[in-house]
Amino acid sequence: MTNAPILETARLILRPHSLADYASCRTLWADERVVKHIGGAPQDGQAVWFRLLRYAGMWSLLGYGMWAIEDRKSGAFLGEAGLLSAARGLPELESVPEAGWVLTPDAWGKGIALEAMTAVLTWADAHGEAPSLRCIIHPDNVASISVAQRLGFSALVDTDLSGTPTRVFDRPKGAIP
């Protein structure tokens, strides 16, 4: 069994999710602004509960997973970032860890995603075995595309995921600019 390490940056603590995060995660995943480009539909309590369980399972089974993002000063929950395996059925994601991030609207536009994911990718480069990582972003999500490009991801292919336009990005190991 692998436990998620705690990663720290100047403003953030990335830590394993806990049961105490359930309410914050419910609020995050129920917000229509948050899910607009991530599936498009708010998630109910059961879906969020299964999400928390999946996060713990990824660390246990795969040795990587998602972290809760916490503000270092206030302790506020700001979102989630990390690596995942989601069995989405896209050939471009087969056997490649997927990077992902999602923030509360209060954290948008403050460089939090870039700071959190820089810590995640630095950890992945040091501890991961995959020669590259991938991420998927809706083509209309300009903010996330900008973050991905600043992190060293480049567009690989445009595809369709469950009827939704999706752009797959690739980042070779060690490519943080």
Side-chain angles (χ1 to χ4, degrees):
M1 177 184 238
T2 302
N3 294 317
I6 294 174
L7 307 179
E8 297 188 28
T9 71
R11 298 182 293 168
L12 309 172
I13 297 173
L14 281 70
R15 58 167 177 75
H17 286 81
S18 72
L19 294 178
D21 293 318
Y22 177 66
S24 296
C25 289
R26 275 196 74 177
T27 300
L28 175 73
W29 289 102
D31 191 315
E32 291 183 3
R33 298 168 295 171
V34 170
V35 299
K36 178 180 179 182
H37 296 302
I38 309 173
Q43 294 185 0
D44 66 15
Q46 183 183 47
V48 173
W49 177 249
F50 289 162
R51 178 179 290 281
L52 281 175
L53 296 176
R54 180 173 61 217
Y55 292 162
M58 284 189 291
W59 280 106
S60 178
L61 297 174
L62 303 173
Y64 60 82
M66 298 295 286
W67 283 269
I69 305 170
E70 185 177 290
D71 183 276
R72 184 187 273 285
K73 287 184 182 175
S74 70
F77 178 87
L78 301 177
E80 304 170 343
L83 306 173
L84 63 146
S85 176
R88 298 181 192 278
L90 291 178
E92 297 84 6
L93 298 178
E94 291 297 318
S95 303
V96 180
E98 183 181 335
W101 57 92
V102 58
L103 301 177
T104 62
D106 289 343
W108 292 355
K110 299 176 181 174
I112 301 294
L114 185 63
E115 186 173 333
M117 285 306 298
T118 297
V120 168
L121 296 176
T122 299
W123 178 89
D125 285 345
H127 301 282
E129 297 176 10
S132 72
L133 301 173
R134 304 256 164 98
C135 68
I136 58 171
I137 304 173
H138 189 287
D140 293 342
N141 192 340
V142 175
S144 279
I145 290 172
S146 175
V147 169
Q149 290 171 334
R150 290 179 68 188
L151 291 167
F153 285 91
S154 57
L156 181 66
V157 67
D158 284 338
T159 188
D160 178 273
L161 178 62
S162 303
T164 301
T166 302
R167 185 163 297 149
V168 179
F169 290 80
D170 182 76
R171 176 199 168 269
K173 187 172 189 169
I176 292 178

